[in-house]
Amino acid sequence: MGDPGSVGPSDGRVTPVRRPKRPTMSDVAARVGVSQALVSLVFRNQPGASADTRRRVFQAAEELGYRPDTAAQLLRRTRSRQLGVLFTMRQPHDVGIVEALYPAARKHGYTLVLNAMVETRDERQAMDELLGLRCEAIITIGTTFERHQPATDLGRPSIVEINPRTRAAGTDVVRTAERNGMRQAVDHLVAQGHRAIAHIDGGAMPAAEERRRGYRAAMRHHGLAEHIQVHPGDYTEESGATVARDLLARPELPTAVIAGNDRCAHGLLGTLLRAGVSVPDDVSVVGYDDSQLARLSFIDLTSVRQDAAEAAEVAVRAAAERLDEGRTADRDIVLDPTLVVRGSTGPPRIRSTPDGDLLR
């Protein structure tokens, strides 16, 4: 017996199967009992509808299975009001900034288009893809390129760089006062009684040079120039573990180590603890970023906090100033970090020399 919904009963002709009609914005408006223009305001997150109306519109859309055609809406707009975001997925702090960008963009009436940097794609390609999606400005996080010159003919976008490796002309920069952060870390350790304070360098990573300079300056400020130890590394667990193994092979451990970032501190901590070194009794450890990693209860890492939400807010605001207010002058926005003290730091253990002298 044939399918009555697809084959005619006598002549064998195929009858097209009728697909259910896709719900429209006018269907949502009819269900709620308001105008289609008001429903459009709700879906564009524009003022003009009460909280109750917004709730009923979204409820009706859910019941009908209606979804706005975002691509069609963009084509109808003179402006896209989209911000592109170029970021890596390697650093927890960068991911935290991306998360904070969403409410910041919504507050200023923008939406986000994300493009992650991976080893198989270069920065120029990623930038061009964002421009092809009509992004009016690009927010970059810890990027490597010095000049942003897209290959497309869509024009040079507004650029806001968060924690850049280099500062390009014609861009706004949002960065942390890295020297201040390192000074706070060194001040804290010195106040605890430490003198032999080492630093694991971040190499060519964003802000590493400023952190290294800040460490050296703070040590000299406290009269500890002879105790300066800078160990080469980067922002990975592997670099922290490598430095830890190097320190363990030496006759004397430093009493404190300031890592380039939290991931590096994690690698350092794990290797020291597996070797039987007590943290913080034998060695105090400080990280940088105060990422989610530092706040885990079993790590409990003292860390210099960079406020991801603040960085996201000022970056979006800088982009909006250029796009909505016509600002043309570049801005260099410096944010103050804060040391968050946890269980990985404490006073150094008193040790005695073969001559009976007491050392910290």
Side-chain angles (χ1 to χ4, degrees):
M1 184 175 178
D3 181 357
S6 59
V7 180
S10 58
D11 55 13
R13 289 180 299 172
V14 176
T15 302
V17 177
R18 293 185 178 180
R19 299 183 181 276
K21 178 187 173 185
R22 181 178 179 179
T24 64
M25 190 178 292
S26 62
D27 295 329
V28 176
R31 172 71 68 94
V32 180
V34 297
S35 68
Q36 185 173 330
L38 188 58
V39 173
S40 177
L41 287 176
V42 171
F43 281 110
R44 287 186 288 116
N45 198 28
Q46 297 295 311
S50 67
D52 181 64
T53 298
R54 289 177 182 275
R55 179 189 60 78
R56 290 191 294 125
V57 166
F58 289 129
Q59 181 179 345
E62 183 67 25
E63 293 171 352
L64 293 169
Y66 171 75
R67 296 291 182 272
D69 189 339
T70 305
Q73 290 177 356
L74 285 174
L75 289 173
R76 290 193 295 267
R77 293 181 192 171
T78 304
R79 291 185 54 189
S80 70
R81 299 199 68 82
Q82 289 192 146
L83 303 177
V85 181
L86 212 53
F87 71 106
T88 71
M89 295 180 289
R90 299 186 185 94
Q91 303 303 329
H93 179 64
D94 293 354
V95 176
I97 293 175
V98 172
E99 184 177 358
L101 281 170
Y102 277 98
R106 184 168 58 250
K107 173 182 174 182
H108 290 273
Y110 285 88
T111 57
L112 299 182
V113 178
L114 303 186
N115 208 344
M117 293 302 307
V118 295
E119 293 181 358
T120 55
R121 301 169 66 247
D122 63 29
E123 294 88 351
R124 185 165 181 164
Q125 177 187 358
M127 179 76 77
D128 289 342
E129 288 176 359
L130 291 174
L131 291 179
L133 293 170
R134 296 187 65 203
C135 292
E136 297 183 301
I138 310 294
I139 297 174
T140 69
I141 307 174
T143 53
T144 59
F145 43 91
E146 297 184 14
R147 291 177 299 176
H148 305 275
Q149 295 179 336
T152 67
D153 59 358
L154 298 176
R156 190 179 188 281
S158 297
I159 305 290
V160 182
E161 297 182 305
I162 301 177
N163 297 334
R165 299 190 189 199
T166 56
R167 302 178 198 175
T171 68
D172 293 324
V173 171
V174 179
R175 59 188 176 91
T176 300
E178 308 291 353
R179 295 195 186 195
N180 182 13
M182 293 300 287
R183 179 188 57 77
Q184 292 181 48
V186 172
D187 287 353
H188 165 66
L189 293 170
V190 170
Q192 293 282 310
H194 294 275
R195 295 173 60 80
I197 304 169
H199 173 51
I200 303 177
D201 183 24
M205 300 302 290
E209 182 178 356
E210 284 299 301
R211 293 176 191 179
R212 179 171 60 250
R213 290 177 177 176
Y215 160 76
R216 290 183 179 276
M219 291 290 283
R220 287 193 293 266
H221 173 76
H222 287 284
L224 300 175
E226 70 276 15
H227 292 287
I228 291 176
Q229 299 180 44
V230 178
H231 300 270
D234 55 34
Y235 289 169
T236 64
E237 290 89 346
E238 290 79 6
S239 70
T242 298
V243 172
R245 287 190 290 269
D246 179 61
L247 294 176
L248 289 166
R250 300 186 179 194
E252 192 75 34
L253 285 170
T255 63
V257 180
I258 304 173
N261 72 343
D262 291 344
R263 285 185 62 193
C264 179
H266 185 210
L268 175 76
L269 275 170
T271 304
L272 291 178
L273 292 172
R274 284 191 294 273
V277 176
S278 175
V279 176
D281 293 337
D282 295 324
V283 179
S284 285
V285 177
V286 179
Y288 207 108
D289 289 340
D290 193 36
S291 63
Q292 192 64 37
L293 184 66
R295 303 168 206 166
L296 295 174
S297 60
F298 61 90
I299 294 180
D300 200 27
L301 179 66
T302 294
S303 185
V304 179
R305 182 172 189 263
Q306 301 189 86
D307 193 327
E310 183 181 16
E313 167 60 30
V314 298
V316 172
R317 189 189 313 149
E321 286 173 357
R322 285 193 184 265
L323 298 172
D324 300 336
E325 302 173 18
R327 175 175 58 82
T328 57
D330 296 348
R331 293 190 62 192
D332 184 14
I333 306 166
V334 183
L335 308 179
D336 287 323
T338 304
L339 182 70
V340 180
V341 178
R342 297 190 179 91
S344 67
T345 54
R349 178 176 290 169
I350 297 177
R351 296 170 290 182
S352 61
T353 68
D355 297 328
D357 295 328
L358 297 181
L359 294 176
R360 288 185 181 271

